[in-house]
Amino acid sequence: MASEGVLLGMGNPLLDISAVVDDAFLTKYDIKLNNAILAEDKHLPMYDELASKGNVEYIAGGATQNSIRVAQWMLQTPGATSYMGCIGKDKFGEEMKKNAQAAGVTAHYYEDEAAPTGTCAVCVVGGERSLVANLSAANCYKSEHLKKPENWALVEKAKYIYIAGFFLTVSPESIQLVAEHAAANNKVFLMNLSAPFICEFFRDAQEKVLPYVDYIFGNETEARIFAKVRGWETENVEEIALKISQLPLAAGKQKRIAVITQGADPVVVAEDGQVKTFPVILLPKEKLVDTNGAGDAFVGGFLSQFVQQKSIEDCVKAGCYAANVIIQRSGCTYPEKPDFN
């Protein structure tokens, strides 16, 4: 049984605007499948174009928020998880609040007066997705909100804290505060490489927080970019996972574990100078709806067992189970109850 508020997430709450598109659409907006980027001016007309499609869906998203919601769903203990991020005072923001509440997550949103709630264009072709995030209000999160007693109480209560790498572009100072708190209080701090652009263009911010990270998640593409910007000259994911796990640690940290997913290929776990691989649950192509949220769901499933002190093997199994459920549905959504055992 998970205790109340045992797991805290902080990140960018975004409303996913998801639709099936074609290659011409990807070319028109200069976007690639299986990538995640921040919107530039050239992408802005895309949101209206997606919204006008007959198959469009609006789904509460944002990487960390997805992971927290999935962990909450797997745990089935109301209020076991909590979440912070910034939304706007608008219809989408209200949706987000309702969604978190329905999911059983204790959400303390910072509400920005001026900016609209952030959105993420999810462009699906053949079940694969391309993400383009327009952060808007999500980009306005301030550490002042985190420091308020009623919000810092969520940090105090949590024993495990997870933040996706995407938040590095928004509030590195909030991440630092939480990372240092975790180190000083013997709590587990977990992060995600999140996207190639984070590893490439936010390397300094990533570098600063990595010594505090006990568990680092990522996928094979992100891991290879992480290695490339550091001149490691290897494409071998097992080697890279090992090297990431062995990067320097902050004072008082015992070790780091790297967990790298590879789509349909086995999950790589590097710990104590050893690499283990775990097979995923293979899904026939005709059952694949879209991969949006698969990596987030993997982390959510993993965390749901991790906060109950289960073995790494059980955590990975739960991660694979959750990802398998999510890719058979649109966006990061799930049935009423999990059937994981």
Side-chain angles (χ1 to χ4, degrees):
M1 207 37 192
S3 58
E4 190 193 328
V6 67
L7 172 63
L8 167 67
M10 295 180 69
N12 302 336
L14 304 173
L15 191 76
D16 284 352
I17 304 174
S18 178
V20 175
V21 300
D22 54 19
D23 289 329
F25 186 93
L26 300 181
T27 308
K28 176 178 175 182
Y29 290 109
D30 189 25
I31 55 180
K32 298 183 191 73
L33 281 181
N34 294 317
N35 201 6
I37 60 171
L38 294 178
E40 297 168 39
D41 288 346
K42 65 180 178 188
H43 299 119
L44 298 179
M46 181 166 73
Y47 296 86
D48 284 339
E49 191 173 335
L50 279 176
S52 71
K53 293 198 177 289
N55 62 17
V56 69
E57 291 183 87
Y58 295 87
I59 308 158
T64 306
Q65 185 162 245
N66 284 343
S67 296
I68 295 297
R69 279 188 14 238
V70 169
Q72 178 61 51
W73 169 67
M74 293 280 288
L75 285 163
Q76 293 286 308
T77 312
T81 63
S82 51
Y83 176 79
M84 285 187 265
C86 184
I87 57 176
K89 291 200 161 182
D90 52 20
K91 188 175 90 226
F92 285 170
E94 286 306 312
E95 281 297 304
M96 205 74 87
K97 285 195 272 194
K98 266 195 254 175
N99 189 280
Q101 202 173 359
V105 176
T106 306
H108 286 202
Y109 293 113
Y110 170 57
E111 294 183 48
D112 191 82
E113 298 290 338
T117 296
T119 50
C120 182
V122 181
C123 311
V124 180
V125 178
E128 305 290 339
R129 57 81 180 140
S130 182
L131 306 177
V132 185
N134 186 8
L135 298 181
S136 298
N139 203 28
C140 302
Y141 191 84
K142 305 277 185 290
S143 56
E144 289 79 58
H145 176 263
L146 174 64
K147 290 174 187 163
K148 284 187 176 162
E150 65 272 25
N151 299 324
W152 189 254
L154 296 181
V155 179
E156 295 276 357
K157 198 182 273 187
K159 293 184 175 67
Y160 302 85
I161 300 168
Y162 173 68
I163 302 179
F166 292 119
F167 204 51
L168 285 166
T169 76
V170 173
S171 188
E173 62 279 16
S174 296
I175 300 178
Q176 205 63 33
L177 283 170
V178 168
E180 288 171 9
H181 165 86
N185 294 279
N186 211 2
K187 295 178 173 186
V188 184
F189 184 58
L190 313 96
M191 280 197 82
N192 204 310
L193 299 177
S194 290
F197 85 87
I198 298 287
C199 301
E200 216 165 348
F201 305 114
F202 291 86
R203 180 183 167 173
D204 292 351
Q206 197 180 47
E207 204 94 304
K208 196 175 169 207
V209 74
L210 264 173
Y212 294 93
V213 180
D214 300 288
Y215 280 73
I216 185 84
F217 296 92
N219 67 25
E220 77 281 34
T221 315
E222 295 149 8
R224 287 185 178 124
I225 295 280
F226 186 95
K228 189 178 148 195
V229 299
R230 283 166 181 75
W232 287 355
E233 294 186 358
T234 175
E235 293 263 303
N236 181 309
V237 173
E238 295 185 24
E239 251 177 76
I240 295 167
L242 203 53
K243 285 181 90 105
I244 294 174
S245 73
Q246 291 167 334
L247 287 169
L249 291 161
K253 288 282 176 189
Q254 302 306 309
K255 64 173 178 181
R256 179 184 304 106
I257 296 176
V259 183
I260 309 295
T261 59
Q262 313 186 79
D265 293 326
V267 177
V268 174
V269 178
E271 174 180 11
D272 296 330
Q274 305 281 311
V275 174
K276 288 185 184 144
T277 58
F278 301 91
V280 304
I281 310 160
L282 293 174
L283 187 73
K285 185 80 176 145
E286 63 274 11
K287 282 194 159 174
L288 173 70
V289 174
D290 69 53
T291 54
N292 182 23
D296 304 336
F298 174 85
V299 173
F302 186 103
L303 290 171
S304 72
Q305 304 310 297
F306 190 54
V307 303
Q308 300 180 75
Q309 278 121 36
K310 299 281 173 66
S311 69
I312 277 273
E313 192 170 353
D314 286 346
C315 294
V316 171
K317 270 189 186 143
C320 291
Y321 163 78
N324 184 268
V325 168
I326 263 76
I327 62 178
Q328 297 181 62
R329 303 168 67 93
S330 195
C332 197
T333 61
Y334 38 78
E336 195 185 340
K337 292 260 193 293
D339 60 2
F340 173 77
N341 40 44

